């Protein structure tokens, strides 16, 4: 394993940062990394908004329920799945938008945006910075969209807080390889036999330094997925011009 892969394999989200801003050179490097990823059909369907206004940052932190590590960090970016540029190209050329508003381009833009963000995340970690994705901005997706003045055919997907870690969490044990990786076909029983992982995650949650709990990964996932979260997202996407067909 080379040093870069070692860094990837020991990733842990950072939620406790020093109050140190990132230099313009470091931020430029992060943006170059983000903007250099693979992109479906070269559409580059994402935008990145750095939140430098502290009042705006505080509002996003509040919405996200992640105040300490959105307010006190090196910098905070919002990653926007973005088909507005292409919508303008089409309308400027008197074309219909049907090929841009259905489900497939929306998936494309969400994937492009995620690849860009993850490129930035690994670049940051390669420089010993810490990161945490902030999907919490979708707690009030309309408000975030208004605050950032987002046009139609866009979705504020998540934030990424990047900074100098004040402390680091332990690496969370991932699903076992046998539960996630196979050859040639999908082995239903093998992928869903979580007995060994149950034990590992119970030990992990019960022994970690902060936020200890008596729970396993499976229990957490049942609790997570039995609730309908953010039911307004589909309606918001329709308001943004997507048909979801
Ligand atoms: C798309 C996405 C959104 C996330 N949103 C949040 C968030 O709003 N707040 C937070 O504290 N962590 C957030 N996380 C971090 C996850 O909780 C974290 O990656 C996961 O628990 C695994 O832990 P690790 O990153 O330390 O390995 C998010 C991660 C992803 C990929």
């Amino acid at each position: 394993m080379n040093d870069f892969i070692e860094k990837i394999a020991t990733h842990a989200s950072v939620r406790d940062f020093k109050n140190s801003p990132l230099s313009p050179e470091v931020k430029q490097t992060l943006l170059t990394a983000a903007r250099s990823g693979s992109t479906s059909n070269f559409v580059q369907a994402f935008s990145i908004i750095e939140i430098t206004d502290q009042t705006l940052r505080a509002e996003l932190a509040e919405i996200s329920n992640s105040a300490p590590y959105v307010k006190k960090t090196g910098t905070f970016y919002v990653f926007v799945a973005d088909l507005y540029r292409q919508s303008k190209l089409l309308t400027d050329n008197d074309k219909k938008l049907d090929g841009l508003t259905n489900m497939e381009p929306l998936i494309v833009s969400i994937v492009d945006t995620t690849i860009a963000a993850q490129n930035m995340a690994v670049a940051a970690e390669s420089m010993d910075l810490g990161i945490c994705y902030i999907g919490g901005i979708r707690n009030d997706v309309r408000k975030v969209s208004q605050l950032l003045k987002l046009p139609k055919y866009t979705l504020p997907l998540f934030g990424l807080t990047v900074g100098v870690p004040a402390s680091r969490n332990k690496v969370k044990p991932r699903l076992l390889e046998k539960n996630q990786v196979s050859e040639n076909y999908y082995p239903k029983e093998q992928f869903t036999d979580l007995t060994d992982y149950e034990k590992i995650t119970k030990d992990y949650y019960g022994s970690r330094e902060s936020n200890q709990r008596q729970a396993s990964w499976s229990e957490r996932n049942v609790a997570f997925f039995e609730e309908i979260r953010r039911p307004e997202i589909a309606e918001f996407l329709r308001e943004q011009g997507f048909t979801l067909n």
Side-chain angles (χ1 to χ4, degrees):
M1 221 185 257
N2 65 28
D3 290 352
F4 183 65
I5 299 166
E6 177 78 30
K7 278 266 185 260
I8 292 174
T10 52
H11 154 82
S13 293
V14 170
R15 297 188 179 82
D16 177 23
F17 292 98
K18 293 187 179 160
N19 220 349
S20 328
L22 303 182
S23 70
E25 294 74 25
V26 165
K27 289 198 281 192
Q28 193 55 59
T29 305
L30 293 175
L31 290 168
T32 300
R35 298 174 53 249
S36 304
S38 293
T39 154
S40 182
N41 279 292
F42 201 32
V43 294
Q44 309 179 74
F46 64 90
S47 295
I48 303 170
I49 301 181
E50 185 186 5
I51 310 300
T52 54
D53 178 315
Q54 294 309 312
T55 313
L56 177 58
R57 176 104 67 98
E59 278 192 83
L60 296 174
E62 192 67 30
I63 290 169
S64 307
N65 263 335
S66 308
Y69 44 102
V70 171
K71 279 176 30 191
K72 193 175 144 200
T73 179
T75 193
F76 184 64
Y77 295 104
V78 174
F79 281 79
V80 180
D82 186 359
L83 289 160
Y84 177 69
R85 238 172 254 111
Q86 278 87 355
S87 80
K88 198 157 178 320
L89 284 174
L90 285 165
T91 39
D92 287 354
N93 284 284
D94 298 322
K95 303 288 183 197
K96 287 198 296 191
L97 294 181
D98 299 8
L100 179 137
T101 54
N102 70 341
M103 206 55 208
E104 172 63 14
L106 181 58
I107 292 174
V108 161
S109 68
I110 289 172
V111 172
D112 271 15
T113 311
T114 306
I115 289 171
Q118 185 59 14
N119 254 18
M120 180 183 282
V122 292
E125 289 177 337
S126 80
M127 295 189 280
D128 281 330
L129 297 170
I131 64 102
C132 189
Y133 281 86
I134 306 291
I137 63 163
R138 296 196 311 278
N139 289 341
D140 193 344
V141 73
R142 282 195 185 89
K143 183 79 193 286
V144 170
S145 186
Q146 280 162 12
L147 286 170
L148 304 184
K149 305 188 193 330
L150 297 186
K152 284 184 94 171
Y153 315 112
T154 63
L155 164 69
L157 196 55
F158 41 66
L160 192 71
T161 175
V162 189
V164 179
S167 64
R168 287 182 187 271
N169 296 322
K170 259 172 59 178
V171 173
K172 280 187 188 168
R174 267 24 192 190
L175 277 167
L176 300 177
E177 197 169 307
K178 67 178 180 184
N179 293 137
Q180 240 177 353
V181 182
S182 75
E183 256 182 77
N184 301 323
Y185 74 100
Y186 189 103
K188 277 201 257 180
E189 280 183 22
Q190 182 188 318
F191 277 9
T192 53
D193 175 5
L194 300 168
T195 326
D196 293 340
Y197 192 54
E198 280 297 283
K199 202 182 155 328
I200 293 168
T201 51
K202 260 198 178 114
D203 289 349
Y204 163 76
Y205 282 123
S207 67
R208 66 182 181 183
E209 275 151 33
S210 63
N211 205 12
Q212 277 186 11
R213 51 176 108 228
Q214 297 309 313
S216 69
W217 184 84
S218 303
E219 286 162 3
R220 302 263 295 148
N221 274 263
V222 169
F224 188 80
F225 284 110
E226 77 174 344
E227 233 182 80
I228 298 175
R229 283 163 205 273
R230 301 174 182 148
E232 68 286 359
I233 293 283
E235 202 189 318
F236 169 77
L237 286 171
R238 284 196 193 94
E239 288 162 14
Q240 287 299 89
F242 297 103
T243 61
L244 308 187
N245 292 328

